Amino acid sequence: MSSSTKPPSSRQLPTQFTHFHNIYTQTPPQDITPLKTQESEFVYTKMALKLLSALDSARIQYYHFKAIIIAGMGLFTDAYDFFCLPPLLKLLGRIYYDDDSPNGSKYEIPASVVAIMLAIAPLGTVVGQVVFGRLGDRMGRRRVYGLALMLMVLSSIACGLSIGTSPTYVLTSLVIFRFSLGVGIGGDYPLSATIMSEFANKRTRGAFIAAVFSMQGFGILAGSVVTMVVTAIFNAASNPPKDKTPPEADLAWRIILMFGAIPAGMTFYWRMMMPETARYTALVEQNVQQAAKDMEKVLDVAMCPIPEEYEVQPTPPSYPLLSKHFFRRHGVDLFSCATTWFLVDVVFYSSNFSQSLIYKRYLPKPGEMNAYEDAFHTAKIQALIAIFATIPGYWVTVCLIDRIGRVKIQTMGFFFMAIGLFAIGIPYYSYWEKHTNVGFIFLYSLTFFFSNFGPNTTTFIVPAELFPARFRSTCHGISGAAGKVGAIIGTVGVLWASRKQEENGYPEGIGMKVLLVILGVVCILGMVVTLIFTRETMGISLEENEKEDQATELCLFRCFSNSSLRSHSSLNQVAAA
């Protein structure tokens, strides 16, 4: 190293590399164990930074698309199992609640049972996101990734094998298995997002993570299509009367649930064959040699091996999770991610599970169709919304997120969701309830399009980009858990609040008009939180999160400025030294 070479500032280096910089600048380390030699540590630092820089600048390759499919199948199964439930509840009501009751709720599952059925899987997801998110940071992404998928597959099969034929036994066992399914699905959320973010380059990282999340849209569509196909086959085979449910209908809903295990099970082998991400191996395990070897197996990223004499001992992190330093450094980001995810899920899940309530006037009355037709028509409505609103919203995000940024998309999505909900809610009883037209369908579909071309997708992406590698999966899990709490509030709340009067065993609520207006206000609140607290991550290296001295700040005026989009090249400069 020539005397004219100017050493980089320690403020430019990630936490894990600060001690390397100290030796490089002849500054003795203060609170770490002295390492072998100045030369070995400097070479080791250069190789680590070159590896991470190579990942950020790597061209798009076959393995990126393979990783999208492998990671996306968990989200596919998540959406399939969550959103095939509304039509299946119609079928279950026909099978197990076929008797007349004093309040006229024939074919209706009791409100308390429906609430438990809808809330139990998201509750399991809360547990799974927190537990598996933390395990992903402590044990490694790859080690627990397969476990989450296996739990999903086995639980999906178990749901279809729910014990007994009486309502009590069947629904009790179904609740237990759906909780287990939710735990597996929850584990998949932080691991899939983190793995994709750490494999991707910084130029197209947002599009890759969004593509993983877009598999949720195909899962919603698949759940609806499978329900339509299975019920159509059973209907054609038995042709039951409209007032009688055949016993073989008990087999139909079980087949539909077990189909959800197939896509996830098909990717289990490839998940087990995935290497650990280079960023986890290099930054958390501090084993750059192994990180370089793993990357060369799956990506065309040539790295010179580090000789054995340049090995260094791992150094402990400077501050733990949930410490004062952690909250000072990452508290605002964690608040932003958790709050916006909570708010969007209140709206997204309540809108999805209220489709059958909102569109019931477009469907035949229960007495005019048999059990299979009842489930078929409910699934058809979901499929049409998925095709024309939900899936396009995901893929518009994939195309634009690395061009216009996360914050702009999230803000715009919340805004247009609010506009659509206000336009439907304010004149709901005075106009929309009595008028069946294309305008209503357009406005309602608009909320689904902009939830996916908006906060439903970006809240999945941003937590995988804002935190250091050693906290990334945990913080994503915490944020997602907050979102699923919002999902529970949305799904259960819409059941109790949407009725203007007592109906089919449900108590009197605030009515659909007030409910939709409240959901619009929730969207406005999400937009405000986004503008004030959410930092832009487009085009920024994940290694920028490793800096010790970077203070969290509000970004009300810099969300739409170019300052947050500048290329952060300090790491590249050190790597090229």
Side-chain angles (χ1 to χ4, degrees), residues 16-23 27-38 40-41 286 311-317:
Q16 285 85 349
F17 303 132
T18 303
H19 59 286
F20 296 136
H21 170 269
N22 290 340
I23 292 178
T27 302
Q30 299 296 320
D31 56 354
I32 61 172
T33 304
L35 305 176
K36 290 185 178 179
T37 65
Q38 297 176 7
S40 65
E41 288 157 353
Q286 299 181 36
E311 288 187 4
V312 296
Q313 295 298 319
T315 58

PDB file of all heavy atoms in Angstrom, residues 16-23 27-38 40-41 286 311-317:
ATOM      1  N   GLN A  16     -19.466  -4.411  10.992  1.00  0.00           N
ATOM      2  CA  GLN A  16     -18.589  -5.572  11.076  1.00  0.00           C
ATOM      3  C   GLN A  16     -17.182  -5.281  10.586  1.00  0.00           C
ATOM      4  O   GLN A  16     -16.256  -6.040  10.858  1.00  0.00           O
ATOM      5  CB  GLN A  16     -19.174  -6.726  10.264  1.00  0.00           C
ATOM      6  CG  GLN A  16     -20.352  -7.400  10.952  1.00  0.00           C
ATOM      7  CD  GLN A  16     -21.650  -6.686  10.675  1.00  0.00           C
ATOM      8  OE1 GLN A  16     -21.647  -5.597  10.138  1.00  0.00           O
ATOM      9  NE2 GLN A  16     -22.765  -7.284  11.048  1.00  0.00           N
ATOM     10  N   PHE A  17     -16.994  -4.186   9.830  1.00  0.00           N
ATOM     11  CA  PHE A  17     -15.694  -3.919   9.236  1.00  0.00           C
ATOM     12  C   PHE A  17     -14.987  -2.729   9.883  1.00  0.00           C
ATOM     13  O   PHE A  17     -13.912  -2.327   9.463  1.00  0.00           O
ATOM     14  CB  PHE A  17     -15.838  -3.662   7.736  1.00  0.00           C
ATOM     15  CG  PHE A  17     -16.503  -4.794   7.026  1.00  0.00           C
ATOM     16  CD1 PHE A  17     -17.535  -4.544   6.135  1.00  0.00           C
ATOM     17  CD2 PHE A  17     -16.121  -6.105   7.262  1.00  0.00           C
ATOM     18  CE1 PHE A  17     -18.153  -5.597   5.493  1.00  0.00           C
ATOM     19  CE2 PHE A  17     -16.743  -7.157   6.617  1.00  0.00           C
ATOM     20  CZ  PHE A  17     -17.763  -6.903   5.733  1.00  0.00           C
ATOM     21  N   THR A  18     -15.571  -2.135  10.923  1.00  0.00           N
ATOM     22  CA  THR A  18     -14.950  -0.973  11.547  1.00  0.00           C
ATOM     23  C   THR A  18     -13.601  -1.326  12.151  1.00  0.00           C
ATOM     24  O   THR A  18     -12.649  -0.563  12.077  1.00  0.00           O
ATOM     25  CB  THR A  18     -15.879  -0.401  12.628  1.00  0.00           C
ATOM     26  OG1 THR A  18     -17.128  -0.075  12.023  1.00  0.00           O
ATOM     27  CG2 THR A  18     -15.280   0.831  13.270  1.00  0.00           C
ATOM     28  N   HIS A  19     -13.502  -2.524  12.751  1.00  0.00           N
ATOM     29  CA  HIS A  19     -12.231  -2.908  13.367  1.00  0.00           C
ATOM     30  C   HIS A  19     -11.151  -3.147  12.309  1.00  0.00           C
ATOM     31  O   HIS A  19      -9.977  -2.918  12.552  1.00  0.00           O
ATOM     32  CB  HIS A  19     -12.411  -4.167  14.215  1.00  0.00           C
ATOM     33  CG  HIS A  19     -12.921  -5.349  13.474  1.00  0.00           C
ATOM     34  ND1 HIS A  19     -14.232  -5.444  13.086  1.00  0.00           N
ATOM     35  CD2 HIS A  19     -12.297  -6.477  13.057  1.00  0.00           C
ATOM     36  CE1 HIS A  19     -14.411  -6.607  12.469  1.00  0.00           C
ATOM     37  NE2 HIS A  19     -13.265  -7.244  12.422  1.00  0.00           N
ATOM     38  N   PHE A  20     -11.549  -3.567  11.116  1.00  0.00           N
ATOM     39  CA  PHE A  20     -10.572  -3.700  10.030  1.00  0.00           C
ATOM     40  C   PHE A  20     -10.030  -2.322   9.650  1.00  0.00           C
ATOM     41  O   PHE A  20      -8.840  -2.124   9.431  1.00  0.00           O
ATOM     42  CB  PHE A  20     -11.224  -4.329   8.801  1.00  0.00           C
ATOM     43  CG  PHE A  20     -11.692  -5.736   9.031  1.00  0.00           C
ATOM     44  CD1 PHE A  20     -12.936  -6.121   8.566  1.00  0.00           C
ATOM     45  CD2 PHE A  20     -10.910  -6.658   9.699  1.00  0.00           C
ATOM     46  CE1 PHE A  20     -13.378  -7.407   8.763  1.00  0.00           C
ATOM     47  CE2 PHE A  20     -11.347  -7.940   9.896  1.00  0.00           C
ATOM     48  CZ  PHE A  20     -12.589  -8.317   9.438  1.00  0.00           C
ATOM     49  N   HIS A  21     -10.942  -1.335   9.601  1.00  0.00           N
ATOM     50  CA  HIS A  21     -10.533   0.013   9.242  1.00  0.00           C
ATOM     51  C   HIS A  21      -9.573   0.585  10.288  1.00  0.00           C
ATOM     52  O   HIS A  21      -8.614   1.278   9.965  1.00  0.00           O
ATOM     53  CB  HIS A  21     -11.770   0.899   9.116  1.00  0.00           C
ATOM     54  CG  HIS A  21     -11.439   2.363   8.975  1.00  0.00           C
ATOM     55  ND1 HIS A  21     -11.335   3.202  10.069  1.00  0.00           N
ATOM     56  CD2 HIS A  21     -11.177   3.110   7.875  1.00  0.00           C
ATOM     57  CE1 HIS A  21     -11.031   4.407   9.643  1.00  0.00           C
ATOM     58  NE2 HIS A  21     -10.939   4.382   8.321  1.00  0.00           N
ATOM     59  N   ASN A  22      -9.826   0.296  11.558  1.00  0.00           N
ATOM     60  CA  ASN A  22      -8.949   0.808  12.608  1.00  0.00           C
ATOM     61  C   ASN A  22      -7.512   0.358  12.397  1.00  0.00           C
ATOM     62  O   ASN A  22      -6.567   1.126  12.561  1.00  0.00           O
ATOM     63  CB  ASN A  22      -9.451   0.337  13.979  1.00  0.00           C
ATOM     64  CG  ASN A  22     -10.740   1.020  14.370  1.00  0.00           C
ATOM     65  OD1 ASN A  22     -11.061   2.085  13.836  1.00  0.00           O
ATOM     66  ND2 ASN A  22     -11.476   0.408  15.305  1.00  0.00           N
ATOM     67  N   ILE A  23      -7.363  -0.913  12.030  1.00  0.00           N
ATOM     68  CA  ILE A  23      -6.005  -1.422  11.816  1.00  0.00           C
ATOM     69  C   ILE A  23      -5.421  -0.849  10.523  1.00  0.00           C
ATOM     70  O   ILE A  23      -4.254  -0.520  10.432  1.00  0.00           O
ATOM     71  CB  ILE A  23      -6.031  -2.955  11.774  1.00  0.00           C
ATOM     72  CG1 ILE A  23      -6.385  -3.473  13.176  1.00  0.00           C
ATOM     73  CG2 ILE A  23      -4.723  -3.533  11.305  1.00  0.00           C
ATOM     74  CD1 ILE A  23      -6.494  -4.964  13.274  1.00  0.00           C
ATOM     75  N   THR A  27      -5.018   2.675  13.771  1.00  0.00           N
ATOM     76  CA  THR A  27      -5.689   3.015  15.020  1.00  0.00           C
ATOM     77  C   THR A  27      -5.909   1.745  15.811  1.00  0.00           C
ATOM     78  O   THR A  27      -6.549   0.823  15.316  1.00  0.00           O
ATOM     79  CB  THR A  27      -7.051   3.675  14.739  1.00  0.00           C
ATOM     80  OG1 THR A  27      -6.836   4.826  13.945  1.00  0.00           O
ATOM     81  CG2 THR A  27      -7.748   4.062  16.049  1.00  0.00           C
ATOM     82  N   PRO A  28      -5.401   1.629  17.003  1.00  0.00           N
ATOM     83  CA  PRO A  28      -5.553   0.380  17.751  1.00  0.00           C
ATOM     84  C   PRO A  28      -7.007   0.135  18.109  1.00  0.00           C
ATOM     85  O   PRO A  28      -7.735   1.065  18.423  1.00  0.00           O
ATOM     86  CB  PRO A  28      -4.711   0.620  19.012  1.00  0.00           C
ATOM     87  CG  PRO A  28      -4.665   2.104  19.149  1.00  0.00           C
ATOM     88  CD  PRO A  28      -4.676   2.660  17.761  1.00  0.00           C
ATOM     89  N   PRO A  29      -7.444  -1.113  18.046  1.00  0.00           N
ATOM     90  CA  PRO A  29      -8.830  -1.425  18.422  1.00  0.00           C
ATOM     91  C   PRO A  29      -9.060  -1.148  19.902  1.00  0.00           C
ATOM     92  O   PRO A  29      -8.177  -1.313  20.723  1.00  0.00           O
ATOM     93  CB  PRO A  29      -8.956  -2.916  18.099  1.00  0.00           C
ATOM     94  CG  PRO A  29      -7.546  -3.443  18.096  1.00  0.00           C
ATOM     95  CD  PRO A  29      -6.675  -2.313  17.652  1.00  0.00           C
ATOM     96  N   GLN A  30     -10.312  -0.739  20.222  1.00  0.00           N
ATOM     97  CA  GLN A  30     -10.627  -0.354  21.585  1.00  0.00           C
ATOM     98  C   GLN A  30     -11.262  -1.489  22.381  1.00  0.00           C
ATOM     99  O   GLN A  30     -10.922  -1.723  23.524  1.00  0.00           O
ATOM    100  CB  GLN A  30     -11.604   0.844  21.554  1.00  0.00           C
ATOM    101  CG  GLN A  30     -11.016   2.069  20.862  1.00  0.00           C
ATOM    102  CD  GLN A  30      -9.813   2.612  21.592  1.00  0.00           C
ATOM    103  OE1 GLN A  30      -9.813   2.641  22.825  1.00  0.00           O
ATOM    104  NE2 GLN A  30      -8.779   3.023  20.885  1.00  0.00           N
ATOM    105  N   ASP A  31     -12.269  -2.161  21.782  1.00  0.00           N
ATOM    106  CA  ASP A  31     -13.041  -3.112  22.574  1.00  0.00           C
ATOM    107  C   ASP A  31     -13.169  -4.456  21.886  1.00  0.00           C
ATOM    108  O   ASP A  31     -14.149  -5.139  22.044  1.00  0.00           O
ATOM    109  CB  ASP A  31     -14.435  -2.550  22.853  1.00  0.00           C
ATOM    110  CG  ASP A  31     -15.170  -2.182  21.589  1.00  0.00           C
ATOM    111  OD1 ASP A  31     -14.558  -2.246  20.511  1.00  0.00           O
ATOM    112  OD2 ASP A  31     -16.373  -1.833  21.696  1.00  0.00           O
ATOM    113  N   ILE A  32     -12.160  -4.819  21.076  1.00  0.00           N
ATOM    114  CA  ILE A  32     -12.207  -6.118  20.410  1.00  0.00           C
ATOM    115  C   ILE A  32     -10.880  -6.822  20.622  1.00  0.00           C
ATOM    116  O   ILE A  32      -9.860  -6.215  20.953  1.00  0.00           O
ATOM    117  CB  ILE A  32     -12.492  -5.970  18.898  1.00  0.00           C
ATOM    118  CG1 ILE A  32     -11.380  -5.153  18.238  1.00  0.00           C
ATOM    119  CG2 ILE A  32     -13.826  -5.344  18.638  1.00  0.00           C
ATOM    120  CD1 ILE A  32     -11.473  -5.126  16.736  1.00  0.00           C
ATOM    121  N   THR A  33     -10.871  -8.113  20.392  1.00  0.00           N
ATOM    122  CA  THR A  33      -9.657  -8.902  20.521  1.00  0.00           C
ATOM    123  C   THR A  33      -8.726  -8.602  19.351  1.00  0.00           C
ATOM    124  O   THR A  33      -9.148  -8.622  18.201  1.00  0.00           O
ATOM    125  CB  THR A  33     -10.009 -10.393  20.525  1.00  0.00           C
ATOM    126  OG1 THR A  33     -10.938 -10.616  21.574  1.00  0.00           O
ATOM    127  CG2 THR A  33      -8.770 -11.239  20.725  1.00  0.00           C
ATOM    128  N   PRO A  34      -7.467  -8.297  19.582  1.00  0.00           N
ATOM    129  CA  PRO A  34      -6.544  -8.036  18.477  1.00  0.00           C
ATOM    130  C   PRO A  34      -6.496  -9.231  17.536  1.00  0.00           C
ATOM    131  O   PRO A  34      -6.519 -10.374  17.946  1.00  0.00           O
ATOM    132  CB  PRO A  34      -5.204  -7.829  19.201  1.00  0.00           C
ATOM    133  CG  PRO A  34      -5.585  -7.411  20.577  1.00  0.00           C
ATOM    134  CD  PRO A  34      -6.841  -8.120  20.897  1.00  0.00           C
ATOM    135  N   LEU A  35      -6.395  -8.934  16.252  1.00  0.00           N
ATOM    136  CA  LEU A  35      -6.414  -9.980  15.247  1.00  0.00           C
ATOM    137  C   LEU A  35      -4.986 -10.322  14.823  1.00  0.00           C
ATOM    138  O   LEU A  35      -4.015  -9.878  15.440  1.00  0.00           O
ATOM    139  CB  LEU A  35      -7.275  -9.538  14.071  1.00  0.00           C
ATOM    140  CG  LEU A  35      -8.703  -9.125  14.477  1.00  0.00           C
ATOM    141  CD1 LEU A  35      -9.461  -8.618  13.278  1.00  0.00           C
ATOM    142  CD2 LEU A  35      -9.414 -10.288  15.123  1.00  0.00           C
ATOM    143  N   LYS A  36      -4.867 -11.115  13.761  1.00  0.00           N
ATOM    144  CA  LYS A  36      -3.551 -11.678  13.440  1.00  0.00           C
ATOM    145  C   LYS A  36      -2.560 -10.633  12.977  1.00  0.00           C
ATOM    146  O   LYS A  36      -1.581 -10.352  13.649  1.00  0.00           O
ATOM    147  CB  LYS A  36      -3.723 -12.757  12.383  1.00  0.00           C
ATOM    148  CG  LYS A  36      -4.432 -14.003  12.918  1.00  0.00           C
ATOM    149  CD  LYS A  36      -4.461 -15.080  11.860  1.00  0.00           C
ATOM    150  CE  LYS A  36      -5.128 -16.350  12.391  1.00  0.00           C
ATOM    151  NZ  LYS A  36      -5.182 -17.407  11.383  1.00  0.00           N
ATOM    152  N   THR A  37      -2.797 -10.090  11.819  1.00  0.00           N
ATOM    153  CA  THR A  37      -1.862  -9.102  11.280  1.00  0.00           C
ATOM    154  C   THR A  37      -2.656  -8.037  10.545  1.00  0.00           C
ATOM    155  O   THR A  37      -3.777  -8.260  10.106  1.00  0.00           O
ATOM    156  CB  THR A  37      -0.871  -9.743  10.284  1.00  0.00           C
ATOM    157  OG1 THR A  37      -1.612 -10.215   9.161  1.00  0.00           O
ATOM    158  CG2 THR A  37      -0.117 -10.900  10.919  1.00  0.00           C
ATOM    159  N   GLN A  38      -2.002  -6.874  10.387  1.00  0.00           N
ATOM    160  CA  GLN A  38      -2.645  -5.793   9.645  1.00  0.00           C
ATOM    161  C   GLN A  38      -2.896  -6.216   8.204  1.00  0.00           C
ATOM    162  O   GLN A  38      -3.946  -5.925   7.632  1.00  0.00           O
ATOM    163  CB  GLN A  38      -1.766  -4.545   9.686  1.00  0.00           C
ATOM    164  CG  GLN A  38      -1.571  -3.983  11.090  1.00  0.00           C
ATOM    165  CD  GLN A  38      -0.623  -2.807  11.094  1.00  0.00           C
ATOM    166  OE1 GLN A  38      -0.224  -2.334  10.034  1.00  0.00           O
ATOM    167  NE2 GLN A  38      -0.278  -2.348  12.282  1.00  0.00           N
ATOM    168  N   SER A  40      -3.362  -9.275   6.835  1.00  0.00           N
ATOM    169  CA  SER A  40      -4.418 -10.269   6.637  1.00  0.00           C
ATOM    170  C   SER A  40      -5.792  -9.653   6.811  1.00  0.00           C
ATOM    171  O   SER A  40      -6.719  -9.936   6.066  1.00  0.00           O
ATOM    172  CB  SER A  40      -4.251 -11.423   7.621  1.00  0.00           C
ATOM    173  OG  SER A  40      -4.435 -10.982   8.953  1.00  0.00           O
ATOM    174  N   GLU A  41      -5.909  -8.740   7.798  1.00  0.00           N
ATOM    175  CA  GLU A  41      -7.222  -8.155   8.038  1.00  0.00           C
ATOM    176  C   GLU A  41      -7.610  -7.200   6.920  1.00  0.00           C
ATOM    177  O   GLU A  41      -8.779  -7.125   6.534  1.00  0.00           O
ATOM    178  CB  GLU A  41      -7.207  -7.425   9.383  1.00  0.00           C
ATOM    179  CG  GLU A  41      -7.169  -8.406  10.552  1.00  0.00           C
ATOM    180  CD  GLU A  41      -6.606  -7.770  11.803  1.00  0.00           C
ATOM    181  OE1 GLU A  41      -6.138  -6.619  11.712  1.00  0.00           O
ATOM    182  OE2 GLU A  41      -6.630  -8.424  12.848  1.00  0.00           O
ATOM    183  N   GLN A 286     -19.699 -14.091   9.576  1.00  0.00           N
ATOM    184  CA  GLN A 286     -18.378 -13.530   9.291  1.00  0.00           C
ATOM    185  C   GLN A 286     -17.428 -14.592   8.722  1.00  0.00           C
ATOM    186  O   GLN A 286     -16.294 -14.751   9.156  1.00  0.00           O
ATOM    187  CB  GLN A 286     -17.804 -12.880  10.556  1.00  0.00           C
ATOM    188  CG  GLN A 286     -18.667 -11.732  11.064  1.00  0.00           C
ATOM    189  CD  GLN A 286     -18.123 -11.061  12.294  1.00  0.00           C
ATOM    190  OE1 GLN A 286     -16.913 -10.921  12.437  1.00  0.00           O
ATOM    191  NE2 GLN A 286     -19.002 -10.639  13.194  1.00  0.00           N
ATOM    192  N   GLU A 311      -7.640 -15.746   7.427  1.00  0.00           N
ATOM    193  CA  GLU A 311      -8.833 -15.933   8.245  1.00  0.00           C
ATOM    194  C   GLU A 311      -8.747 -15.048   9.487  1.00  0.00           C
ATOM    195  O   GLU A 311      -7.673 -14.816  10.033  1.00  0.00           O
ATOM    196  CB  GLU A 311      -8.972 -17.391   8.674  1.00  0.00           C
ATOM    197  CG  GLU A 311      -9.376 -18.322   7.540  1.00  0.00           C
ATOM    198  CD  GLU A 311      -9.654 -19.722   8.056  1.00  0.00           C
ATOM    199  OE1 GLU A 311      -9.590 -19.913   9.288  1.00  0.00           O
ATOM    200  OE2 GLU A 311      -9.940 -20.602   7.238  1.00  0.00           O
ATOM    201  N   VAL A 312      -9.902 -14.559   9.928  1.00  0.00           N
ATOM    202  CA  VAL A 312      -9.969 -13.760  11.147  1.00  0.00           C
ATOM    203  C   VAL A 312     -11.058 -14.320  12.044  1.00  0.00           C
ATOM    204  O   VAL A 312     -11.932 -15.030  11.607  1.00  0.00           O
ATOM    205  CB  VAL A 312     -10.272 -12.274  10.834  1.00  0.00           C
ATOM    206  CG1 VAL A 312      -9.152 -11.656  10.038  1.00  0.00           C
ATOM    207  CG2 VAL A 312     -11.592 -12.142  10.095  1.00  0.00           C
ATOM    208  N   GLN A 313     -10.969 -13.969  13.319  1.00  0.00           N
ATOM    209  CA  GLN A 313     -11.959 -14.438  14.271  1.00  0.00           C
ATOM    210  C   GLN A 313     -13.189 -13.535  14.227  1.00  0.00           C
ATOM    211  O   GLN A 313     -13.070 -12.313  14.155  1.00  0.00           O
ATOM    212  CB  GLN A 313     -11.368 -14.430  15.685  1.00  0.00           C
ATOM    213  CG  GLN A 313     -10.221 -15.394  15.867  1.00  0.00           C
ATOM    214  CD  GLN A 313     -10.646 -16.828  15.643  1.00  0.00           C
ATOM    215  OE1 GLN A 313     -11.719 -17.234  16.074  1.00  0.00           O
ATOM    216  NE2 GLN A 313      -9.818 -17.593  14.944  1.00  0.00           N
ATOM    217  N   PRO A 314     -14.405 -14.129  14.271  1.00  0.00           N
ATOM    218  CA  PRO A 314     -15.625 -13.310  14.283  1.00  0.00           C
ATOM    219  C   PRO A 314     -15.664 -12.392  15.492  1.00  0.00           C
ATOM    220  O   PRO A 314     -15.175 -12.738  16.574  1.00  0.00           O
ATOM    221  CB  PRO A 314     -16.748 -14.352  14.349  1.00  0.00           C
ATOM    222  CG  PRO A 314     -16.140 -15.626  13.867  1.00  0.00           C
ATOM    223  CD  PRO A 314     -14.697 -15.577  14.268  1.00  0.00           C
ATOM    224  N   THR A 315     -16.208 -11.207  15.309  1.00  0.00           N
ATOM    225  CA  THR A 315     -16.355 -10.256  16.406  1.00  0.00           C
ATOM    226  C   THR A 315     -17.832 -10.133  16.775  1.00  0.00           C
ATOM    227  O   THR A 315     -18.697 -10.183  15.903  1.00  0.00           O
ATOM    228  CB  THR A 315     -15.823  -8.875  15.996  1.00  0.00           C
ATOM    229  OG1 THR A 315     -16.526  -8.442  14.836  1.00  0.00           O
ATOM    230  CG2 THR A 315     -14.351  -8.951  15.702  1.00  0.00           C
ATOM    231  N   PRO A 316     -18.150  -9.962  18.039  1.00  0.00           N
ATOM    232  CA  PRO A 316     -19.552  -9.883  18.454  1.00  0.00           C
ATOM    233  C   PRO A 316     -20.184  -8.583  17.992  1.00  0.00           C
ATOM    234  O   PRO A 316     -19.498  -7.576  17.812  1.00  0.00           O
ATOM    235  CB  PRO A 316     -19.463  -9.949  19.987  1.00  0.00           C
ATOM    236  CG  PRO A 316     -18.105  -9.439  20.302  1.00  0.00           C
ATOM    237  CD  PRO A 316     -17.224  -9.884  19.171  1.00  0.00           C
ATOM    238  N   PRO A 317     -21.518  -8.571  17.783  1.00  0.00           N
ATOM    239  CA  PRO A 317     -22.198  -7.332  17.396  1.00  0.00           C
ATOM    240  C   PRO A 317     -22.079  -6.289  18.497  1.00  0.00           C
ATOM    241  O   PRO A 317     -21.967  -6.609  19.686  1.00  0.00           O
ATOM    242  CB  PRO A 317     -23.648  -7.770  17.184  1.00  0.00           C
ATOM    243  CG  PRO A 317     -23.796  -9.028  17.963  1.00  0.00           C
ATOM    244  CD  PRO A 317     -22.455  -9.691  17.905  1.00  0.00           C
TER     245      PRO A 317
END
